[in-house]
Amino acid sequence: MREEHLRVRRTARYVVLGEDGARGAELWVACHGYRQLARYFARPFAAIAGPGRRVAVPEGLSRFYLEDDGGPHGPEARVGATWMTREDRLHEIDDYVAYLDALVAHLGGPAGAARITAFGFSQGAATASRWAAYGEAEIDRLVLWAGLPAHDLDLAAAGTRLAHLDIVLAHGRDDPHVAEAAVQRAVEALHAAGLPARAWRYEGGHEVGPDALGAFAAELSGSR
């Protein structure tokens, strides 16, 4: 018995907020966390989407039933998505990096956006950081919200891709999963690799809330 791999075609689902085809608009690609679906994760981003900013929310390619008691799943059974597991992980990473690159190209690429922000929440933070490091899309900003860079990210190898980015690690004051000390260590590791990074705190826990998101986006707009 030998294990081999075959590339196949998949159909990906994503949600877009803001004016379709608004050339020159800022584009955010927001990667959800573990067990989430794009249509629910997208809701808080309505607070920042508009004529000058589109938000695309891609959904992870792997879905599963959230409560699996071994019986049949009816129409009320809840479903979530994930970006990857440890199983065949390198191919999973390659697949979602290519998926996110294809999404940006589909939405118009750099020619259709003034700036591109890679945003990742929780598990999506590792996803967004790998995409920023290994993808081909011309990303301008990397926002890791309630999450950290991928633990195995080769900062030295990815330096040329990450050096020009505005890297922000946003964390909630009451987040039980991401400690402030861990965020500071991640910022220091990025600085040690010669990469610009900063921490940003919001009121709240392990979540993406419209108020915190609105305040963050307003601060970014004011700093240009």
Side-chain angles (χ1 to χ4, degrees), residues 25-119:
E26 193 177 359
L27 173 64
W28 286 35
V29 178
C31 300
H32 61 76
Y34 179 63
R35 294 166 56 96
Q36 295 183 306
L37 294 179
R39 64 179 178 272
Y40 302 122
F41 180 67
R43 289 173 178 172
F45 292 90
I48 66 169
R53 181 185 294 118
R54 285 186 297 163
V55 181
V57 181
E59 190 168 276
L61 294 174
S62 298
R63 301 187 189 97
F64 56 97
Y65 289 107
L66 298 183
E67 295 90 17
D68 192 353
D69 56 6
H73 297 94
E76 297 82 18
R78 296 189 303 143
V79 175
T82 182
W83 290 101
M84 63 174 293
T85 67
R86 67 174 181 269
E87 190 71 20
D88 205 17
R89 60 188 303 279
L90 295 181
H91 285 101
E92 296 260 45
I93 292 169
D94 287 346
D95 286 347
Y96 71 59
V97 167
Y99 165 24
L100 296 173
D101 278 343
L103 176 61
V104 169
H106 176 70
L107 293 173
R115 289 173 63 84
I116 296 177
T117 294
F119 179 105

Side-chain angles (χ1 to χ4, degrees), residues 48-209:
I48 66 169
R53 181 185 294 118
R54 285 186 297 163
V55 181
V57 181
E59 190 168 276
L61 294 174
S62 298
R63 301 187 189 97
F64 56 97
Y65 289 107
L66 298 183
E67 295 90 17
D68 192 353
D69 56 6
H73 297 94
E76 297 82 18
R78 296 189 303 143
V79 175
T82 182
W83 290 101
M84 63 174 293
T85 67
R86 67 174 181 269
E87 190 71 20
D88 205 17
R89 60 188 303 279
L90 295 181
H91 285 101
E92 296 260 45
I93 292 169
D94 287 346
D95 286 347
Y96 71 59
V97 167
Y99 165 24
L100 296 173
D101 278 343
L103 176 61
V104 169
H106 176 70
L107 293 173
R115 289 173 63 84
I116 296 177
T117 294
F119 179 105
F121 165 69
S122 195
Q123 185 199 45
T127 301
S129 66
R130 289 191 181 104
W131 177 40
Y134 306 132
E136 296 181 357
E138 296 180 16
I139 296 168
D140 300 284
R141 181 186 296 121
L142 174 62
V143 178
L144 308 181
W145 193 283
L148 301 171
H151 68 90
D152 56 353
L153 196 65
D154 187 340
L155 297 179
T160 55
R161 284 274 301 170
L162 300 177
H164 71 283
L165 299 186
D166 175 22
I167 304 174
V168 185
L169 280 71
H171 64 287
R173 295 179 187 273
D174 303 316
D175 191 334
H177 302 296
V178 182
E180 183 173 357
V183 172
Q184 291 302 326
R185 287 194 296 270
V187 170
E188 290 167 5
L190 290 165
H191 287 171
L195 303 176
R198 60 188 174 91
W200 190 85
R201 288 197 296 179
Y202 60 88
E203 298 296 334
H206 199 71
E207 61 195 0
V208 180

